[in-house]
Amino acid sequence: MRITRITVYHVDLPLEHPYWLSGGRLKFDVLDATLVKVETDAGLIGWGEGTPWGHTYVPAHGPGIRAGIKTMAPFIIGLDPRRVLDVERAMDLALPGHLYAKSPIDMACWDIAGQAANLPIADLMGGGSRTPRPIASSVGAKTVEETRAVIDRYRQRGYVAHSVKIGGDVERDIARVRDVESLRRDGEIVLYDVNRGWTRQQALRVMSATQDLNVMFEQPCESLDDIAAIASKHAAPVSVDESLVTLQDAARIARDGLAEVFGIKLNRVGGLTKAARMRDIALAHGIDMFVMATGGTVLADTEALHLAATIPDANCLAVWACQDMITLDIAGGRGPRNKDGHLHLPETPGLGVHPDEETLGDPTAIYY
Ligand code: MG
């Protein structure tokens, strides 16, 4: 089987509610999505998606995905998409780094490989759990009252896991953590996501002031050096996501004990192939995981769900479904959707959901 054609679409995904990260530092209301259709000489078609969380969050650029695919396409055309390692190496040879540009191609290849094997991707990867995965909400950095309102909105949709964005204002962060914890329901999973918003002193002040609550914080500071510097001075479990980009990052975090949880974002780390190695490093070191696409449609959420399904139930804390935050549905309600706050693994071979192509507009490029 050979890849014969790659068709690239650019779709703007409007957010239902404008989004603030880290105390108003970053606000945006649309996500730049790249959808990729990979065709083969066997008639099988795979779909991939790469949707960074805006342009101002981390070094991942929507138009950069499309530029990267243009550069990599001549190296990918003609390869067997079922041989995902061959495709991975070809992309790494054609374009070192730029992992976020590679994840849509990797995803489409896994989709084709699953269809060819007549297995869902998670089963092709070695075996997918059918235990539904709780979906984590994403509660933007706002006031105490707004935080309550957003969490309530998600609770009404059945959500039992929440990623509450904090960072930037020590007193307000302490107040918000204390308020959310006072209202936390039995069985709810809450992660306080700082998105690199604290300096070291700010991190230590909030983490010390909330120590009695025994809560988890994600990416409290900008870098792994910062997180390492404060590690011995607080007792809170830490999740790392923005600083978890390469396999070398994962190895360092595990070896040096910099985090107790990995937040694996598939677009950021370069797709399923590379993320699966991070999963194994985590499991080998007693590190639990959140799994997310980074952003995007039901396709990206489904990709994340497949990886989450290959993690033992006890070690997979939650997934994140961006589909509930955007107002455009490119798959007409198909694919894994929120059911009582959980996503269920599709039994369809491959990814398990494809878009309605007419919702994507005209392609921005076709390579063959
Ligand atoms: Mg995060």
Side-chain angles (χ1 to χ4, degrees), residues 57 165 193 195 218 241-242 265:
Y57 170 42
K165 309 304 173 187
D193 189 354
N195 287 122
E218 186 162 83
D241 66 344
E242 285 104 307
K265 289 210 166 98

